[in-house]
Amino acid sequence: MRVGFRFQVRRAEIAAAFARKSEAAQQEVAEIIQQSGLRMHAMAGELCAEDTGYMKSHLGLAYSADGGTYQSEVGWTEADFVAGTHPRTKAHPPFYPPFVEFGTSRNAAQPAVTPAFEAEAPRVRTEIAAALARAMATE
Amino acid sequence: MSTATWPVLVALEEALTDDATLMGLLAGEGVYARVAAGALPYVVMGSSTEQDGAPAGAGAFGREGNEGTETLHCWGRTIAEAKAIYAEVHRILHNQPLTLTGPEMLTGAVSYLTDQPDTESEAWQVVARYRWLARESA
């Protein structure tokens, strides 16, 4: 189980735009996805609710460019919440970030990843569109 | 363009509370800000985001525009009830631009983000995202 958001561009999805285009253009899109992940991770870290700091310290960032898919992902993974690592309980901490991010019936949500994703999404769209336009113009 | 979040929040609450079918599913005041003060089921209007000068059409026709989101938490005593409430919220808001005081809303769309159980009770929530585009009035 995990909670998080990711930006993902598959080469197949933009094959028409990238057809016969340069590796440089594809690398530019890959760089955009990578940088957006870094910004999203930084913003989510700033917004992350902090008590013991355990959740904030386990906020993850993953980037991959395998098989023509460029992907940045920010969030929490259940496997990272392991026994003996929580500064307060020392026991196996429950995977609680979803209940902080989205709230419970008694506690208001304290979102970190959601607003970071929403803040980043328009910028990613704009930058990818501009990169594609530049690639098409140089044809 | 100046912020549109507050006009959107006001219009959202009016659209939801004016709908008799939705309100028939909810208890008490039915729609709350941030965290509920009444009994289940209810809708909580959660966090907001807004970006100036959004590129995807909000600034069309030479006018400045913004893009934003509102998180809506649809709480039910069961997951089925939470999903039924979400369905009504979707019916009311999806592709139904709201009339705002000040700016002009171009689009409003509802999407299903996730669902999860409560930690305090048997309740469930469906987390929905309301995405809007608005521009300054002519």
Side-chain angles (χ1 to χ4, degrees):
Chain A
M1 180 180 178
R2 62 174 51 190
V3 57
F5 288 91
R6 64 172 170 257
F7 291 112
Q8 184 180 68
V9 174
R10 292 189 181 91
R11 190 173 299 184
E13 291 175 347
I14 52 176
F18 269 159
R20 301 182 307 279
K21 301 303 175 190
S22 67
E23 276 295 320
Q26 295 180 39
Q27 281 304 310
E28 188 175 357
V29 170
E31 178 72 11
I32 290 167
I33 294 296
Q34 191 167 19
Q35 290 300 318
S36 73
L38 290 169
R39 288 191 300 268
M40 192 163 70
H41 184 261
M43 182 181 292
E46 290 175 9
L47 295 172
C48 188
E50 199 166 355
D51 180 14
T52 63
Y54 187 85
M55 192 172 127
K56 186 173 182 176
S57 67
H58 285 76
L59 178 66
L61 166 64
Y63 171 76
S64 63
D66 298 329
T69 298
Y70 312 115
Q71 178 174 296
S72 281
E73 187 171 22
V74 174
W76 297 272
T77 304
E78 187 169 14
D80 291 339
F81 286 61
V82 296
T85 58
H86 194 282
R88 182 173 295 162
T89 67
K90 300 299 182 189
H92 198 304
F95 187 57
Y96 61 87
F99 304 107
V100 178
E101 182 77 14
F102 298 119
T104 70
S105 62
R106 292 185 184 174
N107 295 299
Q110 300 176 76
V113 178
T114 309
F117 175 85
E118 297 298 347
E120 193 59 32
R123 179 172 178 173
V124 170
R125 287 199 303 267
T126 303
E127 290 184 354
I128 290 178
L132 293 177
R134 280 193 296 275
M136 309 269 297
T138 57
E139 176 75 337
Chain B
M1 187 180 121
S2 59
T3 177
T5 291
W6 182 247
V8 170
L9 282 173
V10 170
L12 260 179
E13 183 177 20
E14 283 180 4
L16 296 176
T17 55
D18 284 352
D19 189 90
T21 304
L22 173 65
M23 294 307 288
L25 295 177
L26 307 178
E29 294 179 23
V31 178
Y32 299 93
R34 296 298 290 156
V35 67
L40 289 162
Y42 47 71
V43 173
V44 173
M45 298 169 65
S47 63
S48 309
T49 69
E50 181 171 0
Q51 284 81 46
D52 290 334
F61 308 110
R63 280 181 263 163
E64 293 183 359
N66 288 6
E67 174 178 356
T69 62
E70 304 297 332
T71 304
L72 300 171
H73 304 263
C74 305
W75 281 97
R77 290 161 294 191
T78 63
I79 188 170
E81 189 172 59
K83 289 189 174 188
I85 294 166
Y86 168 77
E88 292 303 318
V89 168
H90 187 276
R91 173 186 61 77
I92 296 164
L93 298 175
H94 189 63
N95 290 336
Q96 306 284 342
L98 303 171
T99 301
L100 307 180
T101 302
E104 173 191 5
M105 183 178 283
L106 296 174
T107 64
V110 178
S111 58
Y112 193 108
L113 208 54
T114 189
D115 56 67
Q116 66 181 35
D118 191 20
T119 56
E120 323 274 351
S121 66
E122 298 299 310
W124 279 77
Q125 67 164 322
V126 169
V127 184
R129 176 167 49 202
Y130 180 70
R131 184 183 297 280
W132 54 266
L133 286 171
R135 64 181 178 188
E136 61 184 1
S137 298

